[in-house]
Amino acid sequence: MKKYDAMYIFANVAKEDSIDGLVEKASNEITRLNGKVLNTTVLGKKSFARTMQKKESGVYVKIRFEIDPAQVALLQSRYHLLEEFFRVQILTVDARREAAIIKQTEEQKVRDAAKAAAMERDAQADAEGNADEV
């Protein structure tokens, strides 16, 4: 099983309820092929740079999942049969890149925590200095 990121564009979506139904439909296609949905992110409605097939905007959804690599082509072809799916792009997740991003995020958290602690010490020292002057 490999990890994949899929970006879905749903055009002509009227309500938030219908987005949930479409996301569930996409997830069901993945699980039907013995895949596992890891997480789902609704990115919201965005306007297209230019009109495509007489549509001006769509709702973007990102789903990360695990599936057997042999099933990806079948999954893609199943999505092409469903007219609710305006565009679907499936990309392989690069494990080395993911590990580097996680490491950078953790390092940034450590730096932010150290910076916040230093600012707190400075504020406390200023407060003590002002208390001595009174």
Side-chain angles (χ1 to χ4, degrees):
M1 298 272 255
K2 285 182 82 171
K3 287 185 183 178
Y4 294 90
D5 278 333
M7 178 67 73
Y8 301 86
I9 302 175
F10 302 108
N12 295 335
V13 179
K15 298 179 187 171
E16 188 66 34
D17 296 337
S18 60
I19 284 294
D20 293 338
L22 292 170
V23 170
E24 186 175 331
K25 198 172 199 178
S27 299
N28 288 342
E29 289 295 328
I30 293 167
T31 55
R32 183 176 290 138
L33 295 173
N34 298 322
K36 178 182 172 187
V37 176
L38 301 175
N39 66 358
T40 303
T41 307
V42 177
L43 302 173
K45 189 170 188 173
K46 300 181 188 287
S47 297
F48 300 145
R50 62 178 191 275
T51 304
M52 293 187 290
Q53 299 177 6
K54 298 183 182 179
K55 294 173 178 59
E56 295 181 5
S57 64
V59 177
Y60 288 67
V61 176
K62 179 181 170 186
I63 297 178
R64 176 164 286 185
F65 60 94
E66 288 181 340
I67 197 167
D68 180 33
Q71 299 291 338
V72 174
L74 180 59
L75 180 65
Q76 188 83 26
S77 65
R78 290 183 67 85
Y79 287 142
H80 285 297
L81 296 174
L82 302 169
E83 63 184 50
E84 298 96 353
F85 293 75
F86 184 67
R87 292 276 194 274
V88 178
Q89 183 176 17
I90 299 175
L91 301 171
T92 304
V93 174
D94 183 11
R96 288 182 298 171
R97 184 170 182 264
E98 286 291 307
I101 290 171
I102 290 169
K103 183 179 176 186
Q104 288 174 349
T105 304
E106 290 172 356
E107 289 172 352
Q108 185 64 42
K109 285 180 185 178
V110 169
R111 284 192 299 267
D112 290 345
K115 187 176 179 181
M119 289 177 68
E120 177 131 352
R121 281 193 310 270
D122 291 346
Q124 194 172 21
D126 287 345
E128 289 175 1
N130 290 337
D132 291 341
E133 293 176 6
V134 175

